[in-house]
Amino acid sequence: MKASDLHPEVRKVIARTPRLPFAHRFLLPVSRLVYNVAAATKLPDGVMVLVKSISGVDVLVFEPDARTSEGAILWMFGGGHWAGKPSHLNAVAGFAARELGVPIYVPFYRLAPRHPFPANLDDCYAVWTHLVQNAARLELDPTRIALAGNSAGGGLAATLAQRIRDEAGAQPIAQCLFYPMLDDRIAADRSLDQINHFIWNNKANYAAWRAYLSPHKPGAEILPDYAAAGRCLDLKGLPPTWIGICGLDLFCAENDGFSERLTAAGVPCEVYRVGGVPHAFEVLAPDARIAIDFQRSAIEFLRRALDGYG
């Protein structure tokens, strides 16, 4: 891929954004530090942030100045399962909390390689369970809680939805997935290493999945249930879904395939595609019109879901 392939609105900023050496495990501490600084976003007005401990998991709670709904969103941050933190969602989660009038809960889940699967999924599930079981005290409707996530967090949201479905009980009202990291088998296709993907390439993808799935390897014939959302054979009964797809993203094909499988399984699935942009483009170019429209589509989907209009 060349800079000329990029959409004009994001070309300059994306072309000059360096790729972090996530593929080199010995450089992971440095890469994680740089990523955690570079991925910072600004909290908008009209929302305050609280830090709470829920079932042993630290959680950032984005609380709007005025609640207008009994709904809530459990939102997972991105970072390849081995970097990232809740405050990276300051901009989008803060905006969503203010616009939708609902609290948003972002768990600081444990990270690979120190804590491989299922540590982070267990953390998110613990927070979900707490929200449902304590809904009355938290002034929430347990049937109006949505899931959301970005990148690896999108993959976590998708596997969390599958686990909640299989264990019955209150179900998410929707899942909102920003360019989700869904399928380790993509990483196992090493021919993709030769493609110059912007921001997140397959070498980094392979290293991230390998750290997360340890002791299993990406592309293994069998993985534990919920290790990779794209591995799920039966997608029936999952909540209505929004998937944001970036046209130049390594995950574009797996996101397309997942959305098609959801639709075939009878799950309402809304796809918002932006051509000429790489992974997480809206974080790097938040003021671009295409980034604003991308985020707005997700927020409006969540609004309809939380209001009960589907």
Side-chain angles (χ1 to χ4, degrees):
M1 295 180 183
K2 309 180 295 295
S4 59
D5 296 326
L6 292 163
H7 192 288
E9 288 188 36
V10 301
R11 184 175 297 149
K12 217 175 258 191
V13 65
I14 299 298
R16 68 173 180 241
T17 300
R19 293 166 183 74
L20 293 176
F22 277 120
H24 302 286
R25 190 155 180 164
F26 69 94
L27 291 176
L28 177 57
V30 174
S31 296
R32 181 184 285 149
L33 176 64
V34 174
Y35 175 85
N36 285 345
V37 171
T41 62
K42 185 179 178 182
L43 186 71
D45 295 332
V47 62
M48 64 178 176
V49 179
L50 309 170
V51 180
K52 295 185 177 182
S53 179
I54 296 178
S55 299
V57 181
D58 286 341
V59 179
L60 221 56
V61 183
F62 294 82
E63 188 72 53
D65 287 351
R67 285 200 195 185
T68 58
S69 168
E70 292 183 335
I73 303 171
L74 176 57
W75 203 312
M76 276 58 74
F77 63 86
H81 295 293
W82 62 3
K85 52 187 177 180
S87 59
H88 289 165
L89 296 178
N90 277 350
V92 65
F95 179 73
R98 185 186 70 192
E99 291 293 300
L100 301 174
V102 301
I104 294 178
Y105 298 82
V106 184
F108 201 148
Y109 58 76
R110 288 169 289 174
L111 298 172
R114 184 176 181 183
H115 302 287
F117 173 83
N120 59 4
L121 180 61
D122 287 346
D123 291 345
C124 297
Y125 186 76
V127 176
W128 165 265
T129 301
H130 177 90
L131 295 180
V132 170
Q133 293 179 347
N134 295 274
R137 181 175 61 81
L138 296 169
E139 300 181 325
L140 302 176
D141 180 344
T143 68
R144 296 172 67 189
I145 303 175
L147 303 178
N150 298 56
S151 191
L156 263 179
T159 53
L160 181 58
Q162 293 167 9
R163 179 171 170 180
I164 292 168
R165 177 201 61 181
D166 294 346
E167 298 192 8
Q171 297 293 304
I173 195 70
Q175 59 177 346
C176 185
L177 312 177
F178 288 69
Y179 35 82
M181 182 178 175
L182 298 169
D183 201 325
D184 63 293
R185 291 169 296 189
I186 300 295
D189 180 359
R190 304 315 299 271
S191 68
L192 295 173
D193 292 5
Q194 308 307 314
I195 300 177
N196 182 34
H197 287 100
F198 296 97
I199 309 304
W200 185 254
N201 60 37
N202 201 49
K203 290 180 180 179
N205 195 42
Y206 183 88
W209 274 113
R210 183 159 189 179
Y212 181 58
L213 297 176
S214 179
H216 305 279
K217 291 183 180 181
E221 184 176 351
I222 298 175
L223 288 181
D225 290 344
Y226 316 120
R231 294 266 196 149
C232 182
L233 297 177
D234 182 8
L235 301 182
K236 293 178 183 176
L238 290 171
T241 303
W242 179 94
I243 300 183
I245 300 179
C246 303
L248 299 183
D249 190 2
L250 171 66
F251 299 155
C252 182
E254 66 187 80
N255 291 176
D256 275 333
F258 194 67
S259 67
E260 291 166 2
R261 291 181 58 220
L262 284 168
T263 300
V267 177
C269 186
E270 180 177 329
V271 174
Y272 191 92
R273 178 188 297 275
V274 184
V277 298
H279 195 71
F281 78 100
E282 87 290 1
V283 177
L284 296 165
D287 297 326
R289 172 48 56 187
I290 54 173
I292 294 170
D293 291 346
F294 181 74
Q295 179 175 282
R296 175 60 68 181
S297 175
I299 301 304
E300 291 307 315
F301 165 81
L302 287 166
R303 188 192 308 280
R304 295 193 303 273
L306 294 170
D307 287 347
Y309 301 127

